[in-house]
Amino acid sequence: MNRAKSTLEQWRILQAVVDHGGYSQAAEQLNKSQSSLNHAVAKLQHQLGIQLLEVKGRKAYLTEQGEVLLRRSRHLTQSVDELEQLATNLGQGWEPSITIAKEIIYPTEKLVDALEAFIPLSRGTRVTVLDSVISGTHDLINQQMVNIAICATPPRAHLAQPLCECDFELVCHPNHPLAQLDSIEDEKQLAQHLQIVIKDTGSNSINDIGWLKAEQRITVSNFHEAKVILGRQLGFCWIPNFLVEDDVKQGKLHKLKLHGSYQRRITLNLVVPNRDRQGPACRLLESLILLQHEIETSQPYTEKANA
């Protein structure tokens, strides 16, 4: 195996000479003698067999070959710096990756707001977000396959922090027969029509999302697919308000009124499956998710106070 002719220190010295405009300026910044820097760059050029710098007057300039190699060397030294920082982070218990399980009824924008605040502080931690439904989320929590989970009813023996409430609307296409009714007085009327439900992602799924008394059902994996089917004037579906509000306003979907239950509400919670294994990066991201909902809940009070 061929050994490298150059060292990282030589490339860092070359970068400093170029960045600071000369050997004397770089020597002052690096707290080294000017002669040691001259020697390091001269040795690097000799080892490579290429002239990297040429001195004009008191200033050093890059040659064409030097520009190409310097640009590549910056990627190399940056990668090494990041590798060493990662080693430091791991030594401090900072996690290299975090996995989040998110019920599909949780507003993605809220999680993105938290991630936007987390990224500048993340130290390179990678985040994976898994969409899940009901017992699928429970499986991920119970098997400790995720660091953070956002779910409705948490599984037994797990503490949960309430985040927000999700309101579901019963909707169909404006031209669907159900939309012609001022009010649906009896659930039996619904049972006569096709229902669209969201499939539970658990290994033993038995809890698809929605009222399940309709004889005819189409089961899909997410609400985007459900809305496509609704757009073809097929069936009805319970869908989170934030996903259909604009469609209802634009007349693309119709909100049904079901006597005694025209709207349903679910509380979403944050669960950390194993607090003993929770590292500093996970604690930081958890706090930022919670902060988004503290801001949300405090906003109406602020507006009222300023009114």
Side-chain angles (χ1 to χ4, degrees), residues 187-199:
E187 288 186 344
K188 292 179 180 179
Q189 287 181 280
L190 281 179
Q192 297 171 12
H193 295 272
L194 173 71
Q195 182 183 7
I196 303 160
V197 298
I198 310 301
K199 183 173 179 55

Side-chain angles (χ1 to χ4, degrees), residues 125-283:
T125 295
R126 295 180 178 180
V127 179
T128 300
V129 180
L130 305 176
D131 283 337
S132 55
V133 179
I134 313 177
S135 70
T137 313
H138 287 194
D139 288 348
L140 294 170
I141 294 171
N142 288 327
Q143 296 170 24
Q144 297 187 19
M145 296 177 66
V146 295
N147 304 98
I148 295 173
I150 298 173
C151 64
T153 304
R156 292 179 181 179
H158 287 279
L159 297 176
Q161 174 67 42
L163 291 178
C164 61
E165 292 180 329
C166 178
D167 291 333
F168 282 75
E169 304 289 355
L170 184 61
V171 294
C172 67
H173 191 276
N175 294 333
H176 190 278
L178 286 172
Q180 314 313 313
L181 304 174
D182 293 332
S183 177
I184 301 171
E185 298 297 327
D186 193 332
E187 288 186 344
K188 292 179 180 179
Q189 287 181 280
L190 281 179
Q192 297 171 12
H193 295 272
L194 173 71
Q195 182 183 7
I196 303 160
V197 298
I198 310 301
K199 183 173 179 55
D200 188 331
T201 57
S203 55
N204 297 308
S205 58
I206 55 173
N207 297 306
D208 295 340
I209 289 182
W211 172 85
L212 302 172
K213 295 182 181 180
E215 290 296 328
Q216 280 190 306
R217 291 199 294 270
I218 294 179
T219 302
V220 295
S221 60
N222 57 64
F223 290 109
H224 172 73
E225 294 175 350
K227 288 171 65 175
V228 171
I229 297 172
L230 290 174
R232 298 295 183 92
Q233 303 181 30
L234 294 172
F236 64 92
C237 186
W238 287 99
I239 300 184
N241 177 275
F242 69 91
L243 290 177
V244 295
E245 189 174 14
D246 289 342
D247 293 295
V248 171
K249 288 180 180 178
Q250 295 169 15
K252 296 178 181 179
L253 290 175
H254 176 80
K255 189 186 301 184
L256 296 169
K257 295 181 180 179
L258 176 61
H259 182 69
S261 182
Y262 71 92
Q263 188 180 70
R264 296 181 177 181
R265 178 167 293 175
I266 291 177
T267 298
L268 288 161
N269 305 275
L270 185 147
V271 175
V272 176
N274 191 332
R275 287 281 178 190
D276 293 336
R277 291 172 52 189
Q278 188 182 28
C282 183
R283 285 195 294 271

Side-chain angles (χ1 to χ4, degrees), residues 100 102 106-115 129 150 289:
I100 302 172
K102 175 184 73 69
Y106 179 71
T108 301
E109 289 76 10
K110 284 296 175 187
L111 183 56
V112 173
D113 288 342
L115 291 173
V129 180
I150 298 173
I289 293 172

